[in-house]
Amino acid sequence: PPAFNAAGHDAMEMDRQKRVTRTTAAVGSNDIVIDNFSFTPKALTVARGTQITWINNDDVPHVIVSTTGKFKSSPVLDTNGRYSVRLTAAGSYPYFCSVHPVMTGTIVVT
């Protein structure tokens, strides 16, 4: 029916506008952006003592967890939420989202 088609189109248009108008936080060289259920960059190499910040640009919450327990887990990050850690020891720091475990990434500290 035409009313059904119009309602579906209106809902899709509202979703598109929401995505277009969503505020995107500024990104620095040591930031990891969460968007579309992925981390960007997926692998980040930094010097010892660097502060790394995750920024959630998704419309759903995420929680950052160290796979090896080398840094404290984040609180629940809602849209535009940020979480930072300062990594002082050289090594590899794999992590994932505990809400969506298929989301993984790695920080390499030199």
Side-chain angles (χ1 to χ4, degrees), residues 29-31 44-53 84-89 107-110:
S29 61
N30 298 318
D31 292 343
L44 178 66
T45 301
V46 298
R48 280 181 282 197
T50 299
Q51 179 172 298
I52 289 74
T53 301
S84 298
V85 296
R86 185 171 306 278
L87 303 174
T88 58
I107 300 165
V108 176
V109 178
T110 58

Side-chain angles (χ1 to χ4, degrees), residues 9 12 19 21 27 29 32 39 59 67 69 74 78 106 110:
H9 179 269
M12 288 187 330
R19 290 174 194 264
T21 59
V27 177
S29 61
I32 299 169
F39 298 111
D59 291 334
T67 302
S74 75
D78 286 322
T106 304
T110 58

